[in-house]
Amino acid sequence: MSSSYDKCVRCGSCVKFCPLFDAVGEEQFSPRGKIYLLQIMDQIEDDPELAKEFRQLLFQCTLCGRCSEVCSSDVDLLKVWHEQRAKAVEMAPEEFDYLDALRNSLANVANIYGLDPEDRAIYWLDELEDDIPGLGDRVYEKGKTADTMVFLGCLMSFRGSQMDVLRSLFTMLEEVGEDYLVMGAEENCCGHPLYLMGDEKGAAELRQHNKSVIEDAQAKKVVTCCPGCLIQLREYHNLEKVEALHHTQFFDQKMASTPIYEQTEELAYHDPCELHRILGIKTEPRSLLKKLGVKYREMEASCCGGGGLLRMTDPGLSDIIIQARAAKEKLKDTVVVTACPSCREQLLASENRTKDIVELLADASKGGAE
Amino acid sequence: MKLRDIAIGANASMYYRMDFKKIRGVYYPKTEADVLAAIAFARENGYDVTPKGGGSGLSGACTGGDIDRIMMSSLQMTEMLAISKDMGYVDVQPGLTPDEINAVLEPMGMKLHVAPSSRDIATVGGILSTDGGGNDTWVNGTMRDNTIKVKMVTYDGRRLTVSHEGVKSDDSELEAELNNKGMTINDIASSHGTLGFITELKLFIRPLVNETLAGSLVEFPDYDALGQAVDEIIKRKSPIRYGETIVTAHPDVREGFNPPLLILQYPEGYDSELSEFVDVKKLDKEELKRMKDVRLKLPKRNPKKGVQFALFEGYGFHEESLRKMQSALDEIDALLQSHDLVPFAKYGHAPSKWYLGDNTAAYGIILHSREIRPEGKTGTELLQILLDIVERCESLGVTPKPEHKWPFDDKTKSARLSELRKIIGQGFNSFILDETCNGVLSSMV
Ligand SMILES: Cc1cc2nc3c(=O)[nH]c(=O)nc-3n(C[C@H](O)[C@H](O)[C@H](O)COP(=O)(O)OP(=O)(O)OC[C@H]3O[C@@H](n4cnc5c(N)ncnc54)[C@H](O)[C@@H]3O)c2cc1C
């Protein structure tokens, strides 16, 4: 059977959509360029330097999936990139030493920062307990049950820059009277970073624990703000009788209407790639924005540069992508509304202003924007 | 060697396996000065220069063959330099695509009216170099008809501005010599990068026409009926704003439609005249959109088993060969099948316009053709089939590759290019005019 990249007719429709090509402007960074290299691999694989360069090139990609979306030749490019990444790491693990710290953290403490797993519910609990009374009781312990399990993910559990989103998330869960628990110290990384480097075995080990906790808590739903975590929860955790939802889906279902957001700033909506392109969640974020009565402009459905581990594998390229994006979309006087902790980090790192949709919800419920 | 020296070979034609060691440099200039510097490097080292745009050309011309060469891509020359709505032009660098240009123009109510199906990647520099067109060429002409003038740089580093009237250059001697030869945009059109590197184009833009269009589907019992209907459209100068045909399609991608057929759009009310000579089936907005999409995606789709490829991407049916399309197509199909090539799809622009090698305009159907890639055929065998098709086309009065104007075969055009190259230098994309061209291409399949 021919591999699916053989079906690529190299028409080039993917080239100009690719954020990496946009950033660098050279063919080898484009999806067509990479597929072409695969198609003629027999001519280059004997050269160890070229083979090495190719393995590196595979990780210079945000896995945003735009190439798969525009391809009319039935090439599942995202699948090709995943398979090729796995192959590259397997063939030359020594070239990916720089990923070892991450891999070791995940193996040892089940989070991407190498921090004590007990600390998963420490930072934000300290910060938010006064604002949200009883939040401590919401942290899962064996024997506790709830309708909804909140899966925060590593970024939201450990990063101070996510605190406002967390505050808004918990505020809104209280507001809608949800019976919920947060996984806290019992949460493992969802496995997404390992999945992105093609380590299916490592990812599966992490998921197993999450699955048993969520099912032990008898949750009917698991809600996360992170599209990467949602890919893992929805597609790979094999959860039985548990619906995995993005927080925008959850609140859109729960709230037939919302208070109106008192808008004082110019807003633009950035669709996180993993949310709209890979998970197909497009209507709920917009439905919430509509209910909130906000006026916003749609940003190009293009990547922020933070996906596919690019921040780790080539931070310089990742910066170029977000800077180019910010300039092209004239973000200087705009607050970017989004719904992904990773996009948020990327936007903040390049000094853009950003709000998660749940922050708008919480502001509106509180009676107006600050 | 680095991967950038290899990935530059990525292109849509079947000629993509090359000897990468012969690529002596890869350049992505941003300015004319960068272009001049790259050409100087090539000249000093005796290398050829191969210009490349979007790499969507199907005749292998952007590969440079197997000469020691530098590859010069226009993909970073993407500035819109000036827009004059009042005077109806736009000045652009060569690496922009029609889609990119129109994304800026359309909000202003203006448009560049050149629409190849590949308009999301084909660059205006590349489109002029192949004199491409699209589904509206019948109304709006080919790329040359939409180009006012171009700036280009020759192998010896001289600069030219070429318009429909003639040539201007800082070098008065060169200017006089080229004007003596009557050089105009017609020569740049379809020159396949053999004359120099286009660094800037002044293109016609026109207002977006705000007319209400009706869409319809016309099905035909056979190819002759289709050809005669298009011939009639041409004679009547029918106001067809969009005209595409699907002549055959593999069952895997046929999606319930019934070729041969025409998908037409014209000003509301014109159907009464159209019904005088064809059976018109009106399409609502959604149906029309679907049909257009099916047509647009045909060159990119694949059968369930096997992969499509463009062995011979286009046939220009005009005059007698248009009116008697059935026998011409039957002969072509028989030829393909005798070489174990399974036809995958034939579709194209109808009515359309293209230019012959002597720059006279032809009107008819530009029919693109895709086959299923046969297992186990060598490059030499495939190229031989292709040459057989060219020969057959000539005997049938069909223009081979009307959109891509295969200079390797169009004797009039290649003689003219060779004549001009004697004046402006011989270092650009030379393999195309070399007698070994066919052999080189066959080694790259
Ligand atoms: C899916 C698909 C659909 C297509 N549909 C159509 C269609 O509807 N109509 C049509 O006409 N064609 C069509 N084509 C063919 C192709 O898109 C055209 O030939 C197009 O004009 C090529 O433009 P490019 O920028 O990709 O040029 P390339 O393929 O990169 O180059 C083509 C030629 O132009 C020369 N060149 C490029 N840039 C320059 C420059 N700056 N200076 C000098 N020479 C230069 C190159 O040397 C080469 O000889 C299609 C192709 C594909 C893959």
PDB file of all heavy atoms in Angstrom, chain B residues 12 51-57 61-62 94 116-118 122-123 125-127 129-130 132-133 192-193 196-198 299 349 403-404 429, ligand 1:
ATOM      1  N   ALA B  12       4.741  20.997  -9.219  1.00  0.00           N
ATOM      2  CA  ALA B  12       3.542  20.196  -9.484  1.00  0.00           C
ATOM      3  C   ALA B  12       3.658  19.297 -10.712  1.00  0.00           C
ATOM      4  O   ALA B  12       2.759  18.509 -10.977  1.00  0.00           O
ATOM      5  CB  ALA B  12       2.340  21.129  -9.647  1.00  0.00           C
ATOM      6  N   PRO B  51      14.428  30.704 -12.920  1.00  0.00           N
ATOM      7  CA  PRO B  51      13.453  31.378 -12.074  1.00  0.00           C
ATOM      8  C   PRO B  51      12.358  30.398 -11.649  1.00  0.00           C
ATOM      9  O   PRO B  51      11.999  29.502 -12.402  1.00  0.00           O
ATOM     10  CB  PRO B  51      12.843  32.452 -12.989  1.00  0.00           C
ATOM     11  CG  PRO B  51      13.700  32.491 -14.209  1.00  0.00           C
ATOM     12  CD  PRO B  51      14.332  31.147 -14.318  1.00  0.00           C
ATOM     13  N   LYS B  52      11.877  30.599 -10.444  1.00  0.00           N
ATOM     14  CA  LYS B  52      10.760  29.767  -9.984  1.00  0.00           C
ATOM     15  C   LYS B  52       9.751  30.652  -9.262  1.00  0.00           C
ATOM     16  O   LYS B  52      10.124  31.551  -8.514  1.00  0.00           O
ATOM     17  CB  LYS B  52      11.278  28.684  -9.023  1.00  0.00           C
ATOM     18  CG  LYS B  52      10.178  27.691  -8.644  1.00  0.00           C
ATOM     19  CD  LYS B  52      10.662  26.610  -7.695  1.00  0.00           C
ATOM     20  CE  LYS B  52       9.489  25.700  -7.336  1.00  0.00           C
ATOM     21  NZ  LYS B  52       9.701  24.933  -6.127  1.00  0.00           N
ATOM     22  N   GLY B  53       8.471  30.396  -9.530  1.00  0.00           N
ATOM     23  CA  GLY B  53       7.414  31.104  -8.808  1.00  0.00           C
ATOM     24  C   GLY B  53       6.799  30.140  -7.810  1.00  0.00           C
ATOM     25  O   GLY B  53       7.473  29.629  -6.919  1.00  0.00           O
ATOM     26  N   GLY B  54       5.519  29.849  -8.006  1.00  0.00           N
ATOM     27  CA  GLY B  54       4.828  28.952  -7.085  1.00  0.00           C
ATOM     28  C   GLY B  54       5.125  27.481  -7.343  1.00  0.00           C
ATOM     29  O   GLY B  54       4.693  26.617  -6.583  1.00  0.00           O
ATOM     30  N   GLY B  55       5.825  27.177  -8.415  1.00  0.00           N
ATOM     31  CA  GLY B  55       6.128  25.774  -8.726  1.00  0.00           C
ATOM     32  C   GLY B  55       4.892  24.994  -9.115  1.00  0.00           C
ATOM     33  O   GLY B  55       4.863  23.772  -9.029  1.00  0.00           O
ATOM     34  N   SER B  56       3.845  25.699  -9.563  1.00  0.00           N
ATOM     35  CA  SER B  56       2.614  24.988  -9.922  1.00  0.00           C
ATOM     36  C   SER B  56       2.562  24.667 -11.411  1.00  0.00           C
ATOM     37  O   SER B  56       1.629  24.021 -11.878  1.00  0.00           O
ATOM     38  CB  SER B  56       1.381  25.814  -9.532  1.00  0.00           C
ATOM     39  OG  SER B  56       1.302  26.972 -10.343  1.00  0.00           O
ATOM     40  N   GLY B  57       3.556  25.120 -12.157  1.00  0.00           N
ATOM     41  CA  GLY B  57       3.599  24.834 -13.585  1.00  0.00           C
ATOM     42  C   GLY B  57       3.703  23.332 -13.806  1.00  0.00           C
ATOM     43  O   GLY B  57       4.301  22.617 -13.002  1.00  0.00           O
ATOM     44  N   ALA B  61       9.153  23.360 -16.306  1.00  0.00           N
ATOM     45  CA  ALA B  61      10.050  24.446 -16.703  1.00  0.00           C
ATOM     46  C   ALA B  61      10.719  25.131 -15.521  1.00  0.00           C
ATOM     47  O   ALA B  61      11.773  25.740 -15.676  1.00  0.00           O
ATOM     48  CB  ALA B  61       9.278  25.473 -17.530  1.00  0.00           C
ATOM     49  N   CYS B  62      10.122  25.029 -14.327  1.00  0.00           N
ATOM     50  CA  CYS B  62      10.748  25.703 -13.181  1.00  0.00           C
ATOM     51  C   CYS B  62      11.791  24.825 -12.505  1.00  0.00           C
ATOM     52  O   CYS B  62      12.310  25.185 -11.456  1.00  0.00           O
ATOM     53  CB  CYS B  62       9.692  26.153 -12.175  1.00  0.00           C
ATOM     54  SG  CYS B  62       8.960  24.772 -11.280  1.00  0.00           S
ATOM     55  N   PRO B  94       6.829  40.092  -8.384  1.00  0.00           N
ATOM     56  CA  PRO B  94       6.365  38.928  -9.160  1.00  0.00           C
ATOM     57  C   PRO B  94       5.851  37.747  -8.350  1.00  0.00           C
ATOM     58  O   PRO B  94       5.197  36.869  -8.883  1.00  0.00           O
ATOM     59  CB  PRO B  94       7.621  38.506  -9.925  1.00  0.00           C
ATOM     60  CG  PRO B  94       8.753  38.972  -9.077  1.00  0.00           C
ATOM     61  CD  PRO B  94       8.292  40.253  -8.460  1.00  0.00           C
ATOM     62  N   PRO B 116      -6.493  31.480 -12.885  1.00  0.00           N
ATOM     63  CA  PRO B 116      -6.220  30.042 -13.040  1.00  0.00           C
ATOM     64  C   PRO B 116      -6.715  29.294 -11.796  1.00  0.00           C
ATOM     65  O   PRO B 116      -6.807  29.901 -10.718  1.00  0.00           O
ATOM     66  CB  PRO B 116      -4.691  29.974 -13.144  1.00  0.00           C
ATOM     67  CG  PRO B 116      -4.187  31.235 -12.547  1.00  0.00           C
ATOM     68  CD  PRO B 116      -5.255  32.267 -12.745  1.00  0.00           C
ATOM     69  N   SER B 117      -7.016  28.018 -11.952  1.00  0.00           N
ATOM     70  CA  SER B 117      -7.480  27.257 -10.780  1.00  0.00           C
ATOM     71  C   SER B 117      -6.407  27.268  -9.693  1.00  0.00           C
ATOM     72  O   SER B 117      -6.696  27.086  -8.529  1.00  0.00           O
ATOM     73  CB  SER B 117      -7.755  25.802 -11.145  1.00  0.00           C
ATOM     74  OG  SER B 117      -8.404  25.714 -12.363  1.00  0.00           O
ATOM     75  N   SER B 118      -5.175  27.467 -10.106  1.00  0.00           N
ATOM     76  CA  SER B 118      -4.056  27.461  -9.161  1.00  0.00           C
ATOM     77  C   SER B 118      -3.764  28.853  -8.617  1.00  0.00           C
ATOM     78  O   SER B 118      -2.652  29.124  -8.178  1.00  0.00           O
ATOM     79  CB  SER B 118      -2.822  26.943  -9.895  1.00  0.00           C
ATOM     80  OG  SER B 118      -2.670  27.682 -11.099  1.00  0.00           O
ATOM     81  N   ALA B 122      -0.031  30.019  -7.765  1.00  0.00           N
ATOM     82  CA  ALA B 122       0.681  30.490  -8.964  1.00  0.00           C
ATOM     83  C   ALA B 122       0.942  31.990  -8.822  1.00  0.00           C
ATOM     84  O   ALA B 122       0.064  32.755  -8.440  1.00  0.00           O
ATOM     85  CB  ALA B 122      -0.154  30.213 -10.207  1.00  0.00           C
ATOM     86  N   THR B 123       2.150  32.387  -9.136  1.00  0.00           N
ATOM     87  CA  THR B 123       2.546  33.785  -8.969  1.00  0.00           C
ATOM     88  C   THR B 123       2.314  34.548 -10.281  1.00  0.00           C
ATOM     89  O   THR B 123       2.339  33.936 -11.365  1.00  0.00           O
ATOM     90  CB  THR B 123       4.042  33.865  -8.629  1.00  0.00           C
ATOM     91  OG1 THR B 123       4.778  33.320  -9.745  1.00  0.00           O
ATOM     92  CG2 THR B 123       4.370  33.066  -7.375  1.00  0.00           C
ATOM     93  N   GLY B 125       4.319  36.464 -11.782  1.00  0.00           N
ATOM     94  CA  GLY B 125       5.515  36.308 -12.632  1.00  0.00           C
ATOM     95  C   GLY B 125       5.480  34.985 -13.374  1.00  0.00           C
ATOM     96  O   GLY B 125       5.793  34.904 -14.564  1.00  0.00           O
ATOM     97  N   GLY B 126       5.073  33.937 -12.664  1.00  0.00           N
ATOM     98  CA  GLY B 126       4.979  32.603 -13.277  1.00  0.00           C
ATOM     99  C   GLY B 126       3.841  32.541 -14.277  1.00  0.00           C
ATOM    100  O   GLY B 126       3.968  31.939 -15.352  1.00  0.00           O
ATOM    101  N   ILE B 127       2.738  33.185 -13.938  1.00  0.00           N
ATOM    102  CA  ILE B 127       1.573  33.103 -14.840  1.00  0.00           C
ATOM    103  C   ILE B 127       1.861  33.825 -16.164  1.00  0.00           C
ATOM    104  O   ILE B 127       1.507  33.344 -17.240  1.00  0.00           O
ATOM    105  CB  ILE B 127       0.293  33.663 -14.170  1.00  0.00           C
ATOM    106  CG1 ILE B 127       0.009  32.930 -12.849  1.00  0.00           C
ATOM    107  CG2 ILE B 127      -0.912  33.495 -15.096  1.00  0.00           C
ATOM    108  CD1 ILE B 127      -1.150  33.484 -12.038  1.00  0.00           C
ATOM    109  N   SER B 129       4.819  34.112 -17.394  1.00  0.00           N
ATOM    110  CA  SER B 129       5.830  33.296 -18.074  1.00  0.00           C
ATOM    111  C   SER B 129       5.242  32.053 -18.727  1.00  0.00           C
ATOM    112  O   SER B 129       5.917  31.385 -19.516  1.00  0.00           O
ATOM    113  CB  SER B 129       6.931  32.884 -17.090  1.00  0.00           C
ATOM    114  OG  SER B 129       7.494  34.043 -16.520  1.00  0.00           O
ATOM    115  N   THR B 130       4.008  31.700 -18.365  1.00  0.00           N
ATOM    116  CA  THR B 130       3.327  30.590 -19.048  1.00  0.00           C
ATOM    117  C   THR B 130       2.095  31.114 -19.797  1.00  0.00           C
ATOM    118  O   THR B 130       1.350  30.338 -20.376  1.00  0.00           O
ATOM    119  CB  THR B 130       2.861  29.518 -18.037  1.00  0.00           C
ATOM    120  OG1 THR B 130       2.015  30.144 -17.077  1.00  0.00           O
ATOM    121  CG2 THR B 130       4.024  28.875 -17.334  1.00  0.00           C
ATOM    122  N   GLY B 132      -0.704  32.082 -18.572  1.00  0.00           N
ATOM    123  CA  GLY B 132      -1.848  31.338 -18.045  1.00  0.00           C
ATOM    124  C   GLY B 132      -3.137  32.130 -18.095  1.00  0.00           C
ATOM    125  O   GLY B 132      -3.162  33.339 -18.347  1.00  0.00           O
ATOM    126  N   GLY B 133      -4.172  31.408 -17.851  1.00  0.00           N
ATOM    127  CA  GLY B 133      -5.495  32.022 -17.795  1.00  0.00           C
ATOM    128  C   GLY B 133      -6.369  31.177 -16.918  1.00  0.00           C
ATOM    129  O   GLY B 133      -5.884  30.256 -16.253  1.00  0.00           O
ATOM    130  N   HIS B 192       8.692  31.121 -20.356  1.00  0.00           N
ATOM    131  CA  HIS B 192       9.178  30.099 -19.414  1.00  0.00           C
ATOM    132  C   HIS B 192      10.518  30.423 -18.786  1.00  0.00           C
ATOM    133  O   HIS B 192      11.375  29.549 -18.652  1.00  0.00           O
ATOM    134  CB  HIS B 192       9.241  28.726 -20.112  1.00  0.00           C
ATOM    135  CG  HIS B 192       7.883  28.139 -20.323  1.00  0.00           C
ATOM    136  ND1 HIS B 192       7.056  28.524 -21.332  1.00  0.00           N
ATOM    137  CD2 HIS B 192       7.205  27.200 -19.634  1.00  0.00           C
ATOM    138  CE1 HIS B 192       5.921  27.854 -21.267  1.00  0.00           C
ATOM    139  NE2 HIS B 192       5.978  27.049 -20.240  1.00  0.00           N
ATOM    140  N   GLY B 193      10.667  31.669 -18.419  1.00  0.00           N
ATOM    141  CA  GLY B 193      11.875  32.046 -17.691  1.00  0.00           C
ATOM    142  C   GLY B 193      13.147  31.984 -18.506  1.00  0.00           C
ATOM    143  O   GLY B 193      14.234  31.937 -17.937  1.00  0.00           O
ATOM    144  N   GLY B 196      14.861  36.191 -18.796  1.00  0.00           N
ATOM    145  CA  GLY B 196      15.374  36.952 -17.657  1.00  0.00           C
ATOM    146  C   GLY B 196      14.462  36.773 -16.474  1.00  0.00           C
ATOM    147  O   GLY B 196      13.508  35.978 -16.535  1.00  0.00           O
ATOM    148  N   PHE B 197      14.750  37.493 -15.406  1.00  0.00           N
ATOM    149  CA  PHE B 197      13.931  37.361 -14.197  1.00  0.00           C
ATOM    150  C   PHE B 197      13.013  38.575 -14.098  1.00  0.00           C
ATOM    151  O   PHE B 197      13.470  39.725 -14.094  1.00  0.00           O
ATOM    152  CB  PHE B 197      14.832  37.279 -12.957  1.00  0.00           C
ATOM    153  CG  PHE B 197      14.096  36.817 -11.732  1.00  0.00           C
ATOM    154  CD1 PHE B 197      13.977  35.462 -11.438  1.00  0.00           C
ATOM    155  CD2 PHE B 197      13.485  37.740 -10.879  1.00  0.00           C
ATOM    156  CE1 PHE B 197      13.278  35.024 -10.310  1.00  0.00           C
ATOM    157  CE2 PHE B 197      12.789  37.306  -9.752  1.00  0.00           C
ATOM    158  CZ  PHE B 197      12.691  35.952  -9.464  1.00  0.00           C
ATOM    159  N   ILE B 198      11.724  38.326 -14.034  1.00  0.00           N
ATOM    160  CA  ILE B 198      10.757  39.421 -13.912  1.00  0.00           C
ATOM    161  C   ILE B 198      10.771  39.902 -12.469  1.00  0.00           C
ATOM    162  O   ILE B 198      10.592  39.117 -11.537  1.00  0.00           O
ATOM    163  CB  ILE B 198       9.343  38.928 -14.287  1.00  0.00           C
ATOM    164  CG1 ILE B 198       9.326  38.435 -15.732  1.00  0.00           C
ATOM    165  CG2 ILE B 198       8.302  40.028 -14.056  1.00  0.00           C
ATOM    166  CD1 ILE B 198       8.075  37.653 -16.106  1.00  0.00           C
ATOM    167  N   PRO B 299      -8.361  18.602 -10.397  1.00  0.00           N
ATOM    168  CA  PRO B 299      -6.925  18.383 -10.581  1.00  0.00           C
ATOM    169  C   PRO B 299      -6.196  17.948  -9.328  1.00  0.00           C
ATOM    170  O   PRO B 299      -5.025  17.607  -9.390  1.00  0.00           O
ATOM    171  CB  PRO B 299      -6.406  19.750 -11.038  1.00  0.00           C
ATOM    172  CG  PRO B 299      -7.492  20.709 -10.867  1.00  0.00           C
ATOM    173  CD  PRO B 299      -8.758  19.986 -10.612  1.00  0.00           C
ATOM    174  N   HIS B 349     -11.497  24.884 -19.376  1.00  0.00           N
ATOM    175  CA  HIS B 349     -12.132  26.189 -19.556  1.00  0.00           C
ATOM    176  C   HIS B 349     -12.841  26.207 -20.917  1.00  0.00           C
ATOM    177  O   HIS B 349     -12.225  25.922 -21.941  1.00  0.00           O
ATOM    178  CB  HIS B 349     -11.086  27.289 -19.507  1.00  0.00           C
ATOM    179  CG  HIS B 349     -10.100  27.138 -18.378  1.00  0.00           C
ATOM    180  ND1 HIS B 349     -10.497  26.943 -17.081  1.00  0.00           N
ATOM    181  CD2 HIS B 349      -8.744  27.145 -18.366  1.00  0.00           C
ATOM    182  CE1 HIS B 349      -9.429  26.835 -16.309  1.00  0.00           C
ATOM    183  NE2 HIS B 349      -8.353  26.953 -17.066  1.00  0.00           N
ATOM    184  N   GLU B 403      -2.148  26.243 -22.531  1.00  0.00           N
ATOM    185  CA  GLU B 403      -1.893  27.185 -21.450  1.00  0.00           C
ATOM    186  C   GLU B 403      -0.427  27.230 -21.098  1.00  0.00           C
ATOM    187  O   GLU B 403       0.059  28.189 -20.548  1.00  0.00           O
ATOM    188  CB  GLU B 403      -2.673  26.778 -20.205  1.00  0.00           C
ATOM    189  CG  GLU B 403      -3.901  27.633 -20.025  1.00  0.00           C
ATOM    190  CD  GLU B 403      -4.780  27.108 -18.927  1.00  0.00           C
ATOM    191  OE1 GLU B 403      -4.499  26.040 -18.364  1.00  0.00           O
ATOM    192  OE2 GLU B 403      -5.781  27.778 -18.645  1.00  0.00           O
ATOM    193  N   HIS B 404       0.246  26.158 -21.377  1.00  0.00           N
ATOM    194  CA  HIS B 404       1.621  26.076 -20.893  1.00  0.00           C
ATOM    195  C   HIS B 404       2.604  26.305 -22.022  1.00  0.00           C
ATOM    196  O   HIS B 404       3.790  26.366 -21.801  1.00  0.00           O
ATOM    197  CB  HIS B 404       1.835  24.744 -20.195  1.00  0.00           C
ATOM    198  CG  HIS B 404       0.750  24.494 -19.205  1.00  0.00           C
ATOM    199  ND1 HIS B 404       0.706  25.166 -18.016  1.00  0.00           N
ATOM    200  CD2 HIS B 404      -0.366  23.744 -19.273  1.00  0.00           C
ATOM    201  CE1 HIS B 404      -0.395  24.811 -17.373  1.00  0.00           C
ATOM    202  NE2 HIS B 404      -1.061  23.958 -18.119  1.00  0.00           N
ATOM    203  N   ASN B 429      17.376  29.620 -17.864  1.00  0.00           N
ATOM    204  CA  ASN B 429      16.592  28.403 -18.086  1.00  0.00           C
ATOM    205  C   ASN B 429      16.890  27.755 -19.438  1.00  0.00           C
ATOM    206  O   ASN B 429      15.976  27.386 -20.186  1.00  0.00           O
ATOM    207  CB  ASN B 429      15.093  28.729 -17.979  1.00  0.00           C
ATOM    208  CG  ASN B 429      14.398  27.716 -17.081  1.00  0.00           C
ATOM    209  OD1 ASN B 429      15.055  26.868 -16.470  1.00  0.00           O
ATOM    210  ND2 ASN B 429      13.090  27.767 -17.004  1.00  0.00           N
TER     211      ASN B 429
HETATM  212  C1  LIG C   1      -3.950  22.275  -9.526  1.00  0.00           C
HETATM  213  C2  LIG C   1      -3.465  23.098 -10.666  1.00  0.00           C
HETATM  214  C3  LIG C   1      -4.359  23.828 -11.442  1.00  0.00           C
HETATM  215  C4  LIG C   1      -3.899  24.616 -12.508  1.00  0.00           C
HETATM  216  N1  LIG C   1      -4.784  25.357 -13.220  1.00  0.00           N
HETATM  217  C5  LIG C   1      -4.356  26.189 -14.198  1.00  0.00           C
HETATM  218  C6  LIG C   1      -5.262  27.021 -14.909  1.00  0.00           C
HETATM  219  O1  LIG C   1      -6.464  27.011 -14.645  1.00  0.00           O
HETATM  220  N2  LIG C   1      -4.758  27.831 -15.868  1.00  0.00           N
HETATM  221  C7  LIG C   1      -3.422  27.883 -16.138  1.00  0.00           C
HETATM  222  O2  LIG C   1      -3.017  28.671 -16.999  1.00  0.00           O
HETATM  223  N3  LIG C   1      -2.535  27.103 -15.478  1.00  0.00           N
HETATM  224  C8  LIG C   1      -2.966  26.271 -14.523  1.00  0.00           C
HETATM  225  N4  LIG C   1      -2.070  25.479 -13.846  1.00  0.00           N
HETATM  226  C9  LIG C   1      -0.645  25.537 -14.173  1.00  0.00           C
HETATM  227  C10 LIG C   1       0.169  26.594 -13.409  1.00  0.00           C
HETATM  228  O3  LIG C   1      -0.500  27.032 -12.268  1.00  0.00           O
HETATM  229  C11 LIG C   1       0.512  27.753 -14.296  1.00  0.00           C
HETATM  230  O4  LIG C   1       1.386  27.306 -15.296  1.00  0.00           O
HETATM  231  C12 LIG C   1       1.150  28.957 -13.577  1.00  0.00           C
HETATM  232  O5  LIG C   1       1.224  30.005 -14.482  1.00  0.00           O
HETATM  233  C13 LIG C   1       2.522  28.724 -13.020  1.00  0.00           C
HETATM  234  O6  LIG C   1       2.836  29.766 -12.132  1.00  0.00           O
HETATM  235  P1  LIG C   1       3.938  29.553 -10.990  1.00  0.00           P
HETATM  236  O7  LIG C   1       4.121  30.826 -10.255  1.00  0.00           O
HETATM  237  O8  LIG C   1       3.590  28.383 -10.175  1.00  0.00           O
HETATM  238  O9  LIG C   1       5.217  29.307 -11.870  1.00  0.00           O
HETATM  239  P2  LIG C   1       6.312  28.151 -11.823  1.00  0.00           P
HETATM  240  O10 LIG C   1       5.692  26.838 -12.026  1.00  0.00           O
HETATM  241  O11 LIG C   1       7.182  28.328 -10.644  1.00  0.00           O
HETATM  242  O12 LIG C   1       7.141  28.540 -13.116  1.00  0.00           O
HETATM  243  C14 LIG C   1       6.564  28.504 -14.396  1.00  0.00           C
HETATM  244  C15 LIG C   1       7.526  29.144 -15.378  1.00  0.00           C
HETATM  245  O13 LIG C   1       7.642  30.529 -15.103  1.00  0.00           O
HETATM  246  C16 LIG C   1       8.990  30.898 -14.922  1.00  0.00           C
HETATM  247  N5  LIG C   1       9.020  31.966 -13.905  1.00  0.00           N
HETATM  248  C17 LIG C   1       8.422  31.966 -12.698  1.00  0.00           C
HETATM  249  N6  LIG C   1       8.625  33.147 -12.073  1.00  0.00           N
HETATM  250  C18 LIG C   1       9.370  33.911 -12.901  1.00  0.00           C
HETATM  251  C19 LIG C   1       9.927  35.222 -12.821  1.00  0.00           C
HETATM  252  N7  LIG C   1       9.757  35.997 -11.748  1.00  0.00           N
HETATM  253  N8  LIG C   1      10.651  35.656 -13.865  1.00  0.00           N
HETATM  254  C20 LIG C   1      10.831  34.907 -14.962  1.00  0.00           C
HETATM  255  N9  LIG C   1      10.340  33.660 -15.099  1.00  0.00           N
HETATM  256  C21 LIG C   1       9.611  33.165 -14.085  1.00  0.00           C
HETATM  257  C22 LIG C   1       9.694  29.618 -14.485  1.00  0.00           C
HETATM  258  O14 LIG C   1      11.059  29.623 -14.824  1.00  0.00           O
HETATM  259  C23 LIG C   1       8.928  28.588 -15.264  1.00  0.00           C
HETATM  260  O15 LIG C   1       9.488  28.510 -16.540  1.00  0.00           O
HETATM  261  C24 LIG C   1      -2.504  24.669 -12.800  1.00  0.00           C
HETATM  262  C25 LIG C   1      -1.613  23.938 -12.015  1.00  0.00           C
HETATM  263  C26 LIG C   1      -2.068  23.150 -10.969  1.00  0.00           C
HETATM  264  C27 LIG C   1      -1.086  22.386 -10.138  1.00  0.00           C
END
